[in-house]
Amino acid sequence: MFRLINVDGRAALQIGDRYHDLASVAGDERLADPMAAIGRFDELHEFAERASAAAGEPVDADRLGPCVPSPAKVFAIGLNYGRHAAESNMQLPPAPLTFTKFPSCLVGPTADVVLSGDTVDWEVELVVVIGRGGRHIAEADAWSHVAGLTLGQDISDRTVQLTGAPPQFSLGKSFDTYGPIGPALVSIDQFPDPDDIGLWCEVGDAAGGERMQDGRTNDLIFPVANLVSYLSSICTLEPGDLVFTGTPDGVGAARGRFLRDGEFVTSGAEVIGTMRNRCVTPA
Ligand code: ZN
């Protein structure tokens, strides 16, 4: 079992509320790079066991970067929960409706989201982190290619996303800072059922938020194994590739309410933990 975090750009293993620098634990400086650590995710279980014997340093959420800082590919799936498809007035897709978030949008779990306009929206999502690459991965083998799971916000500028016919989603979801992920990459063996994880999102001022989204991943139309298999039938998957698996209902567009300067987006998932991102307007 392991929780991999990014502390000031270095890979670290979290145990309880403390962390251990991975390269130091492993005696291998190459593992300071979080991307290298993900490529060797099989070894992280043993390193975490080794680290648990030592005291470690307290985790400071403000020092956490994205647990996967520079993946080659970031896939994202639209309309993967039935009620979200309904609130978006769109039909259920016959195959995973896939777009990209360019990796430059990724930020850490406490980073500011820099608003691009007045129709910027939240989408809490489970994010799959590929650990072992491959092509034509069978659904039955798919979980063995997954390094772990994290939480993400697929922040979306609805105006940019939905301009044109047919609309092209990728740029409206790729503004810098529109991909908070974290707080940790969590190994699969920590989940009672990795296909049934509760996740939620709250939006509000510093004092408190309103619960906007509340879902479970057992409602996914295309579950994780199906997505990994499908995507690998088209693209060679590589360690570190991310899949944002879609968002439950309760987004702002369906409420006529969007993110404003100074608001906080708080996202949570069982086992994985929480993220808190403040919204700011560009300086
Ligand atoms: Zn999304």
Side-chain angles (χ1 to χ4, degrees), residues 163-219:
T163 294
Q168 302 292 321
F169 286 8
S170 297
L171 285 178
K173 289 164 170 281
S174 289
F175 283 88
D176 282 7
T177 73
Y178 278 18
I181 58 170
L185 191 180
V186 180
S187 59
I188 306 303
D189 52 2
Q190 298 197 42
F191 296 88
D193 179 354
D195 280 308
D196 184 17
I197 299 169
L199 72 174
W200 62 90
C201 171
E202 294 175 357
V203 178
D205 59 21
E210 179 186 348
R211 182 68 62 107
M212 298 294 189
Q213 294 184 281
D214 211 340
R216 301 199 68 84
T217 60
N218 65 355
D219 281 334

Side-chain angles (χ1 to χ4, degrees), residues 76-78 84 99 123 125 154 156 173 244 246-247:
I77 310 301
H84 175 57
F99 52 92
E123 292 191 355
E125 309 203 2
D154 176 16
S156 305
K173 289 164 170 281
F244 280 67
T247 200

Side-chain angles (χ1 to χ4, degrees), residues 48-138:
E49 211 163 289
R50 205 186 291 178
S52 63
E57 304 283 330
V59 173
D60 173 357
D62 290 333
R63 290 172 61 195
L64 297 181
C67 51
V68 187
S70 51
K73 297 188 282 303
V74 181
F75 302 98
I77 310 301
L79 308 178
N80 203 15
Y81 289 80
R83 280 183 302 181
H84 175 57
E87 74 175 358
S88 305
N89 296 313
M90 295 194 194
Q91 290 188 326
L92 293 183
L97 181 69
T98 308
F99 52 92
T100 190
K101 287 174 80 70
F102 292 99
S104 49
C105 77
L106 297 173
V107 290
T110 58
D112 287 348
V113 169
V114 182
L115 300 175
S116 55
D118 54 11
T119 58
V120 180
D121 207 344
W122 57 86
E123 292 191 355
V124 67
E125 309 203 2
L126 179 76
V127 178
V128 176
V129 183
I130 298 297
R132 188 177 300 115
R135 184 92 199 277
H136 299 301
I137 297 166

Side-chain angles (χ1 to χ4, degrees), residues 136-161:
H136 299 301
I137 297 166
E139 219 172 299
D141 298 333
W143 276 110
S144 71
H145 288 259
V146 175
L149 301 171
T150 190
L151 180 63
Q153 265 290 341
D154 176 16
I155 302 287
S156 305
D157 182 318
R158 298 299 186 199
T159 302
V160 176
Q161 177 193 347

